[in-house]
C-alpha cells in the first residue's frame, strides 16, 4: 500500500501501553488463582456428630488441617511475585500518564489562547504576550511550552500552513497513514544489536529448549498413572520370575519400588537419624527378611521401606521422622498396587497368547489385591476383620464367640439384634459404642446382579466353543445401616391383617390336658356295610327303569318329527361350523397380534440396548471419576475413596479369565462389562465373578456362573442366498434384452422373419 510507513515507537508511549496490557492479562488471573488462601471448609456440627471420634480419626483430621511447611513457603513466594508484578504495572501506568500527547493533538488556536478566524494582528499580539511569560530567559519561562508557542505562531502567520491546518488539521498538509510497532527504536540501533541478538538467542535457543527438554525428561519417566517406568519393569521381572507369589513376597516387591529411592524421587529425604532408628525398628519386627540377597531387595532404601510397612501393618507407630516417612510410603501404596495388578494381568494375557512360558497364577494377582486393604486398614492378613472398627482390640474379640453366636465379620455383627451387639461390645463405653455404630452404618453393603450372553448373535443364550462371552455385572452399593434390626423393621412394615392371617394359617396345637378320642371299632363298620349295599342296589334298579321309559318314547315318535329333528340338527351343525370359523379367525388374529407384540418388544429391547451403548460411550468420553465414598482408615495418610476390582476367575484351575477392572466411581450403582473367550472344548464350565475391595477387609463377593458350551457351528459352504441373487440377475439381463428390442416393428423385419420361418 503506497504512502504507508512502519515506524518504531520514538517516544515509547505505545511500548508502555503494550507492556501494561500484557502484564494485566497475566496478573489478573494469577491473582485470583494464587492469592486466595487454601481455607478449609467450616465443620458442620451435624456432620461432625455422624463422624467417628476415635483417637486415630482425630489425629488424622488435625494432621490434614495443618498445611505442610513447603506449601506455606510456596504460597509466600507466589504472593510476593504477585505484589511485585502489580507494583511494576502501576509504575508503567504512571509513566504512560507523563507522556506528552499534545504534539499528537496539535491545536495552535488553543496554544495561543485565541479563537478560530482571528486576524494576523491579534495572533501577533497573543504571541508577544505569551512569549514574555514562557521565554526560557524569563523566570517563568518553560522551554518546551515556548517551542510549542513558536510552532503555533508560525502555523497561523504563514498563509499556506494556516490553510493546510484549516483543511487537513495539520500545518504540513495531508499526511500518510502510519503504522507503529510497539517496540522502542533503540532495539534496532547499531550500538544495541549485539545485546538484542544475545537476548533473542538466550530466550529462544537456550531457555525455551531447556524447559521443553526438562519437561520431556521428567514426563517420559512416568506411565499414565504417574508410576516410574523403571518400577514397572521391576514388577514385570519379579512376577515373571515368581509366577506363584504369596502375600509377604508381594509386600517385599512393593517395598522395593523405585519411588522410595532418592535417585529416582527427589521427595525422598535421607536423614542421618535413619542409621539409628531403622536398625532399632528392624530388631522389633520378626520375619522381615532383611538378609535377602536379591537385588534391589537388599538395598538400603528397600529394607527401610519394608520395615516401615511391617511396622504399619503391626500398628507400631513411632513418633518422629520415621513416622513422616511411613506416611509418605503408605500414601504411594494404592497407586503402586494398582500398577502391580496391571502388570500381572498383562503377563497372564501374554502367557495365554504364547509369548511367555510362565503363567502367573490366580493367587499371585489376588495377593497383590489383598495388599491394598491391609495397608489401608493397617492389619496383617491373619488378623480379624473386626479390628477395622474403632476401639476394638484383640482382648475385646473374645466376647464375639460363645455358644450362642459366632461373629467373624462386620456384616454378621450388624445383623445381630441391638441387645446382642451391645453384649458383644460390652467392654466399650457408650461413646465408644456409638463410634463403632457410626462406622458400621457407613460401611458398604454390596449386592450384585450378573448376566452373561453372546452379544451380536441370534441365540445370545447359547454358548458355542470359541464364542465371545460378555458378562455384565451390576453392582449396587448401599450403606450398611439398612441391615440394622432388619427383622424388626420387617415386622413393623407388615400390616396387622397379614399377621392375623398368618396366625390363622398356623396349625392348632393339641392341648396337653385333652384326652385322645377313642377310635371306632371294626364291629360298627361291619354293621354299616350291608345297609350301604342295599341302597346301591335300589338306586341301580331305578336307573334301569328310567332308561327303558326313554327308549319307548323315542320309538313312539313319528316320521315328520324325525325329519324336523334332522333339519334342526343340520341348522345347529351350520351354526356350530360358523362359530368354529369365527373362533379360528379370532385365534389367528390373536396369534398375529401376539407376534406383533413380540416384534414390538424385540424392537424396544434393541432400542434399550442401543441407548445403553450410547450412555456408556458418553461416560467413557467424560472420563472416570475417582470420588465414591470416604473410607474409615485412621492409620492411612490421607482421605481414601472406595475402589473395587471386578474380574472373572476359574477357582478350580487357579486362573484369571479376565483382566481386573477397577471401579472408582461406585456411588449408588455401576455396571461393568467383562469379555472373555469361551473354552474351545464343549462341556460344562463354572466360573466365579469376583468383586474385591481395595479399602476394607472381609467385603469381597463371589458369584458362580455356569456355561454349557456347545460345539462350534460349521462354516456354511453353500450360500443359497447368493444363488437366488444370481438367478435374479439373469432374469434382469433377459428382461433388459427384451426391452432393448424396438416397440415398433417395420415391414422389412416382418418379411425377414417370415422368410426365416
Amino acid at each position: 500500500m503506497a504512502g504507508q510507513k512502519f515506524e518504531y515507537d520514538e517516544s515509547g508511549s505505545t511500548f508502555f501501553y503494550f507492556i501494561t496490557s500484557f502484564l494485566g492479562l497475566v496478573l489478573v488471573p494469577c491473582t485470583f488463582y494464587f492469592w486466595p488462601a487454601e481455607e478449609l471448609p467450616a465443620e458442620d456440627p451435624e456432620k461432625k456428630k455422624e463422624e467417628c471420634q476415635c483417637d486415630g480419626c482425630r489425629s488424622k483430621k488435625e494432621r490434614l488441617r495443618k498445611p505442610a511447611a513447603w506449601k506455606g513457603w510456596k504460597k509466600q513466594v507466589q504472593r510476593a511475585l504477585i505484589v511485585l508484578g502489580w507494583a511494576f504495572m502501576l509504575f508503567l501506568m504512571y509513566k504512560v500518564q507523563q507522556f506528552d500527547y499534545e504534539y499528537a493533538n496539535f491545536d495552535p488556536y488553543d496554544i495561543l489562547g485565541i479563537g478560530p478566524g482571528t486576524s494576523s494582528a491579534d495572533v501577533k499580539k497573543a504571541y508577544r504576550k505569551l512569549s514574555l511569560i514562557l521565554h526560557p530567559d524569563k523566570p517563568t519561562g518553560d522551554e518546551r511550552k515556548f517551542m510549542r508557542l513558536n510552532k503555533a505562531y508560525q502555523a497561523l502567520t504563514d498563509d499556506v500552513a494556516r490553510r493546510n491546518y484549516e483543511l487537513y488539521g495539520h500545518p504540513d498538509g495531508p499526511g500518510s497513514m502510519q503504522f507503529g510497532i510497539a517496540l522502542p527504536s533503540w532495539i534496532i540501533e547499531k550500538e544495541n544489536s549485539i545485546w538484542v541478538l544475545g537476548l533473542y538467542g538466550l530466550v529462544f535457543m537456550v531457555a525455551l529448549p531447556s524447559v521443553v527438554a526438562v519437561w520431556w525428561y521428567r514426563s517420559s519417566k512416568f506411565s499414565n498413572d504417574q508410576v516410574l517406568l523403571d518400577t514397572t519393569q521391576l514388577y514385570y521381572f519379579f512376577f515373571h520370575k515368581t509366577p506363584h507369589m504369596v502375600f509377604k513376597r508381594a509386600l517385599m516387591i512393593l517395598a522395593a519400588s523405585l519411588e522410595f529411592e532418592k535417585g529416582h524421587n527427589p521427595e525422598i529425604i535421607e536423614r542421618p537419624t535413619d542409621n539409628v532408628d531403622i536398625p532399632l525398628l528392624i530388631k522389633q519386627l520378626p520375619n522381615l527378611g532383611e538378609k535377602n540377597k536379591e537385588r534391589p531387595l537388599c538395598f538400603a532404601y528397600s529394607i527401610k521401606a519394608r520395615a516401615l510397612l511391617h511396622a504399619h501393618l503391626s500398628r507400631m507407630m513411632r513418633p518422629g521422622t520415621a513416622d513422616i516417612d511411613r506416611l509418605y510410603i503408605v500414601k504411594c501404596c494404592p497407586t503402586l498396587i494398582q500398577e502391580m495388578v496391571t502388570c500381572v494381568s498383562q503377563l497372564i494375557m501374554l502367557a495365554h497368547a504364547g509369548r511367555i512360558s510362565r503363567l502367573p497364577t490366580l493367587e499371585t494377582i489376588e495377593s497383590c489385591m489383598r495388599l491394598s486393604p491391609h495397608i489401608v486398614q493397617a492389619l496383617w492378613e491373619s488378623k480379624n476383620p473386626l479390628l477395622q472398627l474403632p476401639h476394638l482390640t484383640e482382648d475385646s474379640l473374645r466376647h464375639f464367640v460363645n455358644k450362642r453366636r459366632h461373629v467373624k465379620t462386620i456384616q454378621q455383627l450388624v445383623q445381630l439384634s441391638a441387645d446382642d451387639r451391645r453384649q458383644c461390645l460390652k467392654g466399650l463405653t457408650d461413646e465408644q459404642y456409638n463410634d463403632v455404630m457410626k462406622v458400621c452404618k457407613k460401611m458398604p453393603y454390596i449386592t450384585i446382579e450378573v448376566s452373561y450372553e453372546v452379544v451380536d448373535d441370534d441365540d445370545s443364550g447359547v454358548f458355542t466353543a470359541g464364542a465371545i462371552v460378555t458378562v455384565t455385572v451390576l453392582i449396587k452399593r448401599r450403606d450398611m445401616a439398612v441391615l440394622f434390626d432388619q427383622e424388626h423393621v420387617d415386622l413393623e412394615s407388615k400390616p396387622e391383617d397379614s399377621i392375623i392371617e398368618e396366625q390363622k394359617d398356623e396349625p392348632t396345637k393339641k392341648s396337653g390336658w385333652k384326652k385322645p378320642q377313642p377310635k371306632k371299632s371294626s364291629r360298627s363298620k361291619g354293621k354299616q356295610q350291608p345297609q350301604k349295599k342295599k341302597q346301591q342296589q335300589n338306586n341301580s334298579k331305578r336307573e334301569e327303569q328310567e332308561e327303558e321309559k326313554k327308549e319307548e318314547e323315542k320309538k313312539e315318535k313319528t316320521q315328520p318329527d324325525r325329519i324336523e329333528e334332522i333339519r334342526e340338527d343340520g341348522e345347529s351343525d351350520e351354526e356350530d361350523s360358523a362359530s368354529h370359523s369365527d373362533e379360528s379367525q379370532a385365534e389367528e388374529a390373536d396369534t398375529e397380534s401376539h407376534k406383533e407384540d413380540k416384534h414390538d418388544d424385540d424392537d424396544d429391547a434393541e432400542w434399550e440396548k442401543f441407548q445403553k451403548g450410547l450412555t456408556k460411550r458418553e461416560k467413557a468420553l467424560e472420563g472416570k471419576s475417582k470420588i465414591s465414598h470416604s473410607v474409615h482408615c485412621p492409620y492411612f495418610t490421607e482421605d481414601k475413596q472406595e475402589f473395587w476390582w471386578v474380574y472373572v476367575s476359574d477357582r478350580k484351575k487357579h486362573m484369571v479369565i479376565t483382566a481386573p477392572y477397577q471401579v472408582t466411581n461406585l456411588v449408588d450403582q455401576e455396571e461393568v462389562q467383562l469379555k472373555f473367550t469361551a473354552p474351545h472344548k464343549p462341556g460344562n464350565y463354572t466360573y466365579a465373578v469376583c468383586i474385591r475391595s481395595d479399602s476394607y477387609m472381609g467385603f469381597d463377593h463371589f458369584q458362580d456362573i455356569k456355561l454349557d458350551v456347545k460345539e462350534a457351528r460349521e462354516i456354511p459352504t453353500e450360500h443359497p442366498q447368493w444363488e437366488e441373487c444370481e438367478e435374479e440377475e439373469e432374469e434382469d439381463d433377459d428382461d433388459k434384452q427384451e426391452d432393448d428390442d424396438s416397440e415398433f416393428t417395420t415391414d422389412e423385419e416382418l418379411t425377414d422373419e417370415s422368410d426365416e420361418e
Side-chain angles (χ1 to χ4, degrees):
M1 295 176 3
Q4 293 182 354
K5 295 181 181 179
F6 292 89
E7 296 179 355
Y8 284 86
D9 185 19
E10 296 289 343
S11 60
S13 59
T14 55
F15 175 69
F16 281 106
Y17 268 115
F18 170 73
I19 294 296
T20 305
S21 60
F22 179 77
L23 275 176
L25 290 174
V26 174
L27 285 175
V28 171
C30 289
T31 303
F32 281 101
Y33 184 77
F34 293 107
W35 186 269
E38 295 180 359
E39 297 180 358
L40 294 173
E43 292 186 358
D44 188 3
E46 295 181 358
K47 187 177 180 181
K48 188 176 180 180
K49 292 179 181 179
E50 297 177 358
E51 294 178 351
C52 178
Q53 300 298 325
C54 63
D55 296 337
C57 292
R58 287 181 180 178
S59 61
K60 180 179 178 179
K61 290 177 186 176
E62 293 176 359
R63 184 178 68 250
L64 293 177
R65 292 183 70 87
K66 291 180 181 178
W70 66 272
K71 287 185 178 180
W73 179 80
K74 182 180 178 181
K75 179 63 70 176
Q76 292 178 1
V77 172
Q78 290 173 353
R79 291 182 175 180
L81 292 175
I82 291 172
V83 170
L84 291 175
W86 280 107
F88 184 60
M89 186 174 176
L90 292 175
F91 172 74
L92 292 176
M93 294 173 67
Y94 174 76
K95 290 291 292 182
V96 168
Q97 291 179 354
Q98 297 300 317
F99 281 105
D100 190 9
Y101 297 103
E102 295 180 1
Y103 287 102
N105 301 321
F106 181 71
D107 187 3
Y109 294 105
D110 186 30
I111 293 172
L112 291 170
I114 57 178
T118 307
S119 63
S120 299
D122 294 336
V123 171
K124 291 179 181 179
K125 287 180 183 179
Y127 172 71
R128 287 178 188 147
K129 184 179 179 181
L130 291 174
S131 63
L132 294 174
I133 299 171
L134 299 176
H135 196 276
D137 295 338
K138 300 293 183 180
T140 59
D142 190 347
E143 185 176 0
R144 293 179 60 193
K145 292 183 179 181
F146 183 76
M147 290 176 63
R148 294 175 60 228
L149 179 66
N150 191 17
K151 186 176 179 181
Y153 174 74
Q154 292 177 359
L156 296 179
T157 54
D158 189 0
D159 296 337
V160 177
R162 187 168 185 172
R163 186 173 63 252
N164 288 334
Y165 177 75
E166 290 176 354
L167 293 176
Y168 305 108
H170 198 276
D172 298 334
S176 60
M177 186 179 293
Q178 296 180 356
F179 293 88
I181 300 175
L183 292 175
S185 59
W186 56 265
I187 289 179
I188 59 172
E189 293 180 357
K190 186 176 181 180
E191 295 82 4
N192 301 327
S193 60
I194 297 176
W195 297 102
V196 173
L197 289 175
L199 181 62
Y200 272 94
L202 182 64
V203 172
F204 293 102
M205 299 181 66
V206 178
L208 186 60
S210 299
V211 171
V212 174
V214 170
W215 170 80
W216 175 254
Y217 176 73
R218 290 183 177 178
S219 61
S220 62
K221 296 192 300 183
F222 295 91
S223 64
N224 294 332
D225 295 330
Q226 297 301 313
V227 178
L228 288 170
L229 295 178
D230 295 337
T231 301
T232 304
Q233 294 296 327
L234 178 72
Y235 293 160
Y236 277 125
F237 171 75
F238 277 104
F239 287 127
H240 183 260
K241 179 183 178 182
T242 314
H244 184 80
M245 189 173 293
V246 295
F247 180 85
K248 289 188 177 180
R249 176 72 174 177
L251 180 63
M252 191 178 294
I253 293 170
L254 175 64
S257 302
L258 295 175
E259 275 77 3
F260 309 140
E261 200 264 328
K262 176 70 174 177
H264 291 79
N265 189 0
E267 296 183 10
I268 297 295
I269 301 174
E270 294 180 353
R271 301 180 179 86
T273 55
D274 293 343
N275 298 326
V276 179
D277 295 339
I278 299 303
L280 292 176
L281 181 62
I282 291 173
K283 291 180 180 179
Q284 301 176 8
L285 298 172
N287 303 322
L288 184 63
E290 68 275 9
K291 295 182 180 181
N292 193 324
K293 300 301 180 183
E294 290 182 277
R295 301 180 67 181
L297 304 182
C298 61
F299 291 169
Y301 83 90
S302 178
I303 296 174
K304 176 184 175 181
R306 197 187 317 158
L308 293 175
L309 284 176
H310 276 247
H312 174 75
L313 293 174
S314 302
R315 295 188 176 181
M316 297 170 57
M317 311 305 169
R318 299 173 64 87
T321 57
D323 193 60
I324 297 174
D325 295 339
R326 176 190 68 83
L327 292 174
Y328 180 81
I329 291 172
V330 169
K331 182 180 71 173
C332 298
C333 283
T335 305
L336 297 175
I337 291 171
Q338 173 59 25
E339 187 68 17
M340 294 173 71
V341 173
T342 304
C343 291
V344 177
S345 60
Q346 289 179 359
L347 287 175
I348 291 172
M349 297 302 130
L350 291 174
H352 286 306
R355 300 288 297 276
I356 58 176
S357 58
R358 298 179 178 180
L359 175 65
T361 60
L362 178 63
E363 286 75 10
T364 301
I365 195 169
E366 289 186 345
S367 296
C368 297
M369 292 180 185
R370 288 200 304 272
L371 284 174
S372 183
H374 288 289
I375 291 176
V376 170
Q377 298 296 336
L379 289 171
W380 284 103
E381 59 178 346
S382 60
K383 297 297 182 179
N384 196 314
L386 292 168
L387 294 176
Q388 299 174 100
L389 300 175
H391 308 298
L392 290 185
T393 59
E394 294 285 350
D395 295 336
S396 58
L397 294 179
R398 56 189 176 87
H399 301 293
F400 289 81
V401 180
N402 54 25
K403 294 181 179 180
R404 291 179 55 193
R405 55 182 174 270
H406 190 72
V407 180
K408 289 186 177 180
T409 63
I410 297 175
Q411 184 171 345
Q412 292 177 353
L413 175 65
V414 170
Q415 289 176 340
L416 294 176
S417 61
D419 296 336
D420 291 339
R421 282 198 303 270
R422 194 66 184 93
Q423 188 66 24
C424 292
L425 301 170
K426 61 182 180 181
L428 304 180
T429 62
D430 292 339
E431 294 180 357
Q432 293 175 346
Y433 177 78
N434 291 331
D435 288 340
V436 173
M437 293 298 103
K438 291 175 185 176
V439 173
C440 289
K441 289 179 180 179
K442 291 184 178 181
M443 284 190 169
Y445 175 61
I446 300 295
T447 56
I448 60 175
E449 297 177 5
V450 181
S451 62
Y452 45 98
E453 60 180 352
V454 179
V455 184
D456 298 333
D457 197 355
D458 296 335
D459 297 330
S460 59
V462 178
F463 305 97
T464 57
I468 303 299
V469 182
T470 302
V471 180
T472 304
V473 184
L474 180 61
I475 310 172
K476 295 182 180 180
R477 195 260 186 212
R478 292 179 293 172
D479 290 337
M480 203 172 280
V482 299
L483 299 179
F484 277 80
D485 295 332
Q486 190 172 12
E487 295 180 358
H488 181 66
V489 172
D490 293 340
L491 286 175
E492 288 182 351
S493 61
K494 285 184 179 181
E496 294 181 359
D497 297 338
S498 62
I499 297 174
I500 293 170
E501 288 178 359
E502 289 178 358
Q503 292 177 356
K504 288 181 179 179
D505 293 338
E506 291 180 357
T508 55
K509 295 181 180 180
K510 295 180 180 180
S511 56
W513 56 273
K514 286 186 178 181
K515 294 182 180 180
Q517 295 179 357
K519 295 182 180 180
K520 294 181 180 180
S521 61
S522 57
R523 292 180 183 177
S524 59
K525 290 182 181 180
K527 292 179 181 179
Q528 291 176 358
Q529 286 179 357
Q531 294 178 358
K532 289 182 180 180
K533 286 181 180 180
K534 289 180 180 180
Q535 291 177 358
Q536 290 177 0
Q537 290 175 359
N538 295 329
N539 291 331
S540 61
K541 287 180 180 179
R542 289 175 185 174
E543 289 175 358
E544 289 177 357
Q545 291 175 359
E546 289 176 358
E547 288 178 358
E548 289 177 355
K549 288 180 181 180
K550 288 180 181 179
E551 289 178 357
E552 290 177 355
E553 289 176 357
K554 286 181 181 180
K555 290 179 181 179
E556 290 177 356
K557 285 184 178 181
T558 60
Q559 187 81 14
D561 295 335
R562 291 182 180 178
I563 293 170
E564 289 178 0
E565 286 180 359
I566 291 168
R567 288 177 181 176
E568 290 176 359
D569 293 338
E571 291 176 357
S572 63
D573 292 337
E574 290 177 357
E575 292 176 357
D576 293 338
S577 61
S579 63
H580 284 303
S581 62
D582 294 336
E583 291 177 358
S584 61
Q585 290 177 0
E587 289 178 357
E588 290 177 358
D590 293 336
T591 53
E592 289 178 358
S593 63
H594 187 63
K595 289 179 180 178
E596 291 177 357
D597 294 337
K598 281 187 176 180
H599 184 67
D600 295 337
D601 294 338
D602 294 338
D603 293 340
D604 294 338
E606 290 180 359
W607 176 251
E608 289 179 359
K609 288 182 179 179
F610 179 72
Q611 290 293 330
K612 286 182 180 179
L614 289 178
T615 54
K616 288 177 182 177
R617 290 177 183 176
E618 291 176 357
K619 288 182 180 179
L621 292 174
E622 291 176 359
K624 291 175 63 177
S625 173
K626 292 190 176 182
I627 298 176
S628 55
H629 295 272
S630 296
V631 179
H632 177 263
C633 48
Y635 299 98
F636 194 69
T637 309
E638 55 190 9
D639 184 33
K640 178 72 174 65
Q641 297 292 313
E642 292 179 7
F643 295 163
W644 303 83
W645 283 295
V646 185
Y647 59 98
V648 180
S649 64
D650 190 346
R651 314 301 294 187
K652 293 181 179 179
K653 296 182 180 179
H654 303 279
M655 292 173 57
V656 179
I657 305 302
T658 63
Y661 179 82
Q662 190 176 33
V663 180
T664 60
N665 55 348
L666 180 58
V667 180
D668 295 324
Q669 66 178 18
E670 191 69 22
E671 187 177 85
V672 179
Q673 282 191 349
L674 305 173
K675 297 183 179 181
F676 65 94
T677 305
H680 294 282
K681 294 182 179 181
N684 294 323
Y685 296 88
T686 302
Y687 299 108
V689 178
C690 310
I691 299 178
R692 286 189 176 273
S693 173
D694 79 327
S695 306
Y696 290 111
M697 299 165 52
F699 285 80
D700 303 334
H701 289 262
F702 302 92
Q703 183 169 334
D704 292 339
I705 58 175
K706 296 181 180 181
L707 298 182
D708 185 7
V709 180
K710 308 294 184 181
E711 292 185 358
R713 298 172 182 173
E714 296 181 357
I715 300 174
T717 56
E718 297 179 357
H719 303 281
Q721 67 274 16
W722 295 353
E723 295 177 358
E724 292 178 358
C725 293
E726 291 177 356
E727 292 177 357
E728 291 177 358
E729 289 177 357
E730 291 177 357
E731 292 177 358
D732 293 337
D733 294 338
D734 296 338
D735 294 337
K736 287 181 180 178
Q737 290 178 0
E738 292 177 358
D739 293 337
D740 291 340
D741 297 337
S742 176
E743 295 179 357
F744 304 97
T745 57
T746 61
D747 295 336
E748 295 177 356
E749 292 177 353
L750 291 172
T751 55
D752 293 337
E753 290 178 358
S754 62
D755 293 338
E756 289 177 358
E757 292 177 355

